[in-house]
Amino acid sequence: MEEIGTRVWPDRATARAEVFTFLETFYNRRRLRKRKIFGYLTPAETRQRHQHALVA
């Protein structure tokens, strides 16, 4: 995995697309929040539970 800031993209659209992909495939879906208050869930799981609670 590369750190942001160490890579040069050919254009702004490519950079935006790759950052979006990173956020959606790693950050929101696989990264766990390592705090008990979040229930050790990913950000996507936290959002889904919150939305479900609003509907119920």
Side-chain angles (χ1 to χ4, degrees):
M1 181 176 7
E2 295 179 44
E3 289 184 40
I4 293 179
T6 61
R7 179 148 181 227
V8 176
W9 289 276
D11 54 54
R12 186 180 194 123
T14 303
R16 288 178 61 103
E18 289 189 22
V19 169
F20 177 81
T21 299
F22 168 78
L23 290 174
E24 286 302 316
T25 60
F26 174 74
Y27 187 83
N28 286 339
R29 298 176 192 258
R30 291 186 283 176
R31 180 188 68 90
L32 292 177
R33 291 183 173 184
K34 297 179 182 180
R35 297 188 68 197
K36 186 175 181 177
I37 193 168
F38 295 119
Y40 304 102
L41 301 172
T42 65
E45 291 168 331
T46 303
R47 184 180 325 109
Q48 183 180 25
R49 284 193 179 186
H50 177 69
Q51 289 174 344
H52 181 70
L54 291 175
V55 174

